[in-house]
Each structure stands twice: as structure tokens, then as C-alpha cells.
Amino acid sequence: MPQDTDPITPPGARHRLVDVPGARIHLVEQGTGPLVLLVHGFPELWSSWRHQLPALAAAGYRAVAVDVRGYGRSSAPGDVAAYRIGAHVRDNVAVVRALGEESAVIVGHDWGSTIATGSALLRPDVFTAVGMLGVPYAPRGGPRPSEVFAAIGGDEEFYVGHFQEPGRAEAEIERDVRGWLAGFYATLAGDTGPQQGEASVFFVPEGGRMADRFVARRPSWLTDVELDFVAAEFERTGFTGALNRYRSMDRDWEDLADFDGAPVVQPSLFVAGERDASLAWLAGAVEAFPRTLPGLVSSHLVEGCGHWVQQERPDEVNRLLLAWLASLDGAAPPDPQDTRERADRS
């Protein structure tokens, strides 16, 4: 298991492995108080929350960032069916219980946002509020997801379809894990993403690779040490576990048939980068918030920010998270400067 003194782990945070049904989940926790469970997206790790852990802890919360099953130090089952939404929800419930808690606020980014809203939808008794970063809640409905995404690309292949065939995307990514990650992060970042006239990375030309459309620029918010840490974990695990979440979308659609069109009613928060390219095809989900998220407290677009919102703009995201969390208890939000000073001292 990684050491608590590695260059990524915030001072005062600690690593744990906890048992969940048929697997183990690795997590990093910091602070005491009400539990806030943080769920990362693709292709990331618990470390995508490295800026939020100390800020939440300093504000009086028990912040816990997991490695989702298939990632990092968590178990990676071989069966694609082991990555359907119900399995992730059971993992999250088991983590809450293993930490000795009965309930938690859950916050997710990218695929983690979908896992977070699925957890809130299926287990409202455990997850009392939900925060979504980057990806809005979209209820189950309409055709199968594979049919929807197959129709998006036109003459080119939408990246979700590109990820479906086992081994195909792995062959591209794993030939140069660090280089692929660097390019993917840069291409979806606000400060380095495609400029006018540059093709979208989300569409893959016939016979081509996603990496063919990566930008060569380097994000200002990602250090070599941080990139090396994530790349080393994926070099060790490979990408199959991570990609299996994409390969489970139709299974989710089948499993959630009883929740067709169902809203998530708990208090919620949405934060996304104004330059997040994924919002182009998710705009309808945002427009539907009055119906799909009746408990929405606030929704924010961070100017000039791309997809990796909590890493690109950690101070702003921390401020929004803390204000929302305080609103759940009817308390005044903590002063951001005071929170930063306490985090620095922890």
C-alpha cells in the first residue's frame, strides 16, 4: 500500500484498505466530523482530490477519497459485469459502514459524478446529499446508451464507442501510459485544450487513435510529480478496470429500469468548467435540472476552466463545496482564508 509520506498524500492524511462485497477499496482520509465521500472519474485516482482533502478536514469534515474499483490500490475484478452501477453503489455503502458511519455526503467528478448520483438515487438512506463536478445528473431513459453514443459520431467514432471493445483502447493507451495521460489531461483542460480549428478529441477517425488529436501543450496545474504518480499506478494496473465502467453502460440502463426518469431529490450541487467540452452534449441534462434535481442548491460554471475542475481551480471549488456543505447544516460558510491557514498548519 502507498506510504502516507509519498509526495502526493496531503500531510495528516492516511491510507486504508477496507473490505466491500467481494473486493477491497483503497481510500485516503483526513479530518474528523461529518463524512464527505469523494469519488474520482476517468482516468484518475483518489489523488484527484488532493486539494480538497486538507481543505475539507480543516473546515471540520471527515474527507475520504476512494480509488474506485478497477483503479489504483482497489480490487479490479476481471468480469465486465462487476463494474455496473449497483456494484459501485454497494462499494460506497460498504465504505461508509467500514468507517463506522451511517450516512455521508457524496461528491463525484466525471464518472464519479454518475456513481455519486447513482448512490444517492439507490441508497437515499445512506447518502444524504450529492455533489456533481463536471458531469450532470441524467436520469435513465430513452434508448440504450450504446445506441445513443453510436449516433453521435457521424462519419467518425465517438470515444465512448472507441472504448467498448476489450483490449482496443488498452492497446493504444498502454504503449505509452504517461504520454497518453499527459495528452488526455491537456486536451480537456481549460488552459491547454483545443483552440479554434483544432479537432475534438472525442471523435476518432476511422483507423485512427484518440491520441492523434491530443494537444502538445502542458497544463499549468499538473506537475511532473503528480503526473508521475498517476502514471505509475496505471503502469502497474493497466486500464481494463477503468475502461470497464464504459463497457457497463447498457447494463446500468437495464438495472435501473425501475428508476426510469427518476429525480435525485437530496440537496445537490453542480460545478463544471465553462470550457468543459463534454457539456456540449450534456447541455440538455443541465437544462433539465429543475425536474431531475428538485433539491439543487446551486449550480456553477467556472470561467475559463476545463474538465478537471477540482484540480484546475482547487481554491474556487473548495469555496463552493464548503459553502454548500455549510448550507446543508444551516451554518454560515467558513472563511476561505481561515480554512487555508488551518489546512497549511495541519
Side-chain angles (χ1 to χ4, degrees):
M1 192 162 67
Q3 299 300 308
D4 295 4
T5 55
D6 67 47
I8 301 299
T9 303
R14 67 190 188 103
H15 294 256
R16 289 180 60 178
L17 282 171
V18 301
D19 291 326
V20 301
R24 293 193 303 174
I25 293 294
H26 167 247
L27 59 85
V28 178
E29 65 174 319
Q30 187 168 4
T32 59
L35 178 59
V36 180
L37 189 64
L38 305 169
V39 188
H40 68 80
F42 175 89
E44 300 173 283
L45 301 166
W46 72 265
S47 57
S48 69
W49 302 103
R50 62 194 177 279
H51 302 297
Q52 283 67 53
L53 287 166
L56 290 170
Y61 296 94
R62 185 183 187 184
V64 173
V66 299
D67 276 337
V68 173
R69 64 166 52 204
Y71 288 82
R73 302 285 165 164
S74 292
S75 297
D79 185 1
V80 175
Y83 295 86
R84 60 209 316 158
I85 190 66
H88 290 288
V89 173
R90 288 189 292 274
D91 287 349
N92 290 336
V93 171
V95 166
V96 172
R97 299 289 188 249
L99 294 172
E101 304 288 350
E102 294 298 320
S103 63
V105 172
I106 189 166
V107 180
H109 170 253
D110 185 79
W111 263 123
S113 177
T114 302
I115 293 171
T117 53
S119 298
L121 180 68
L122 296 177
R123 293 301 304 267
D125 57 316
V126 176
F127 300 103
T128 58
V130 58
M132 297 153 282
L133 303 188
V135 172
Y137 174 58
R140 187 261 195 210
R144 290 176 177 270
S146 59
E147 297 173 9
V148 174
F149 289 122
I152 291 179
D155 293 336
E156 297 185 329
E157 185 178 35
F158 192 54
Y159 82 107
V160 174
H162 182 71
F163 285 168
Q164 292 304 305
E165 182 183 343
R168 182 183 176 196
E170 289 93 327
E172 172 185 340
I173 301 169
E174 292 172 8
R175 71 179 63 176
D176 178 13
V177 168
R178 190 181 190 278
W180 195 93
L181 287 170
F184 192 67
Y185 293 151
T187 305
L188 297 186
D191 59 345
T192 52
Q195 306 301 309
Q196 187 172 8
E198 292 181 318
S200 171
V201 70
F202 291 116
F203 297 95
V204 183
E206 185 177 357
R209 306 173 304 152
M210 283 191 74
D212 293 338
R213 289 178 171 171
F214 286 172
V215 301
R217 300 175 285 273
R218 182 64 176 274
S220 60
W221 49 269
L222 183 66
T223 69
D224 282 333
V225 170
E226 292 162 346
L227 178 59
D228 288 344
F229 178 84
V230 178
E233 287 291 87
F234 279 111
E235 287 279 10
R236 183 179 57 80
T237 64
F239 275 78
T240 297
L243 290 164
N244 278 344
R245 178 85 280 271
Y246 289 92
R247 296 163 184 161
S248 298
M249 293 185 304
D250 282 353
R251 293 178 174 86
D252 294 350
W253 183 85
E254 295 167 357
D255 293 345
L256 294 174
D258 290 342
F259 294 87
D260 195 80
V264 169
V265 300
Q266 294 96 315
S268 56
L269 168 75
F270 179 67
V271 181
E274 172 256 341
R275 295 201 66 216
D276 189 338
S278 63
L279 291 181
W281 66 85
L282 295 172
V286 175
E287 293 170 0
F289 278 172
R291 175 176 55 82
T292 61
L293 294 173
L296 184 67
V297 174
S298 59
S299 178
H300 309 269
L301 286 181
V302 180
E303 185 177 356
C305 183
H307 183 64
W308 319 105
V309 57
Q310 78 270 31
Q311 298 186 76
E312 294 184 49
R313 300 293 177 82
D315 289 344
E316 187 162 358
V317 168
N318 290 347
R319 177 181 62 80
L320 294 171
L321 277 176
L322 291 173
W324 173 63
L325 288 167
S327 77
L328 302 178
D329 298 323
D335 178 79
Q337 181 61 38
D338 179 60
T339 299
R340 283 195 295 271
E341 289 174 354
R342 281 186 283 149
D344 291 341
R345 291 196 298 267
S346 66

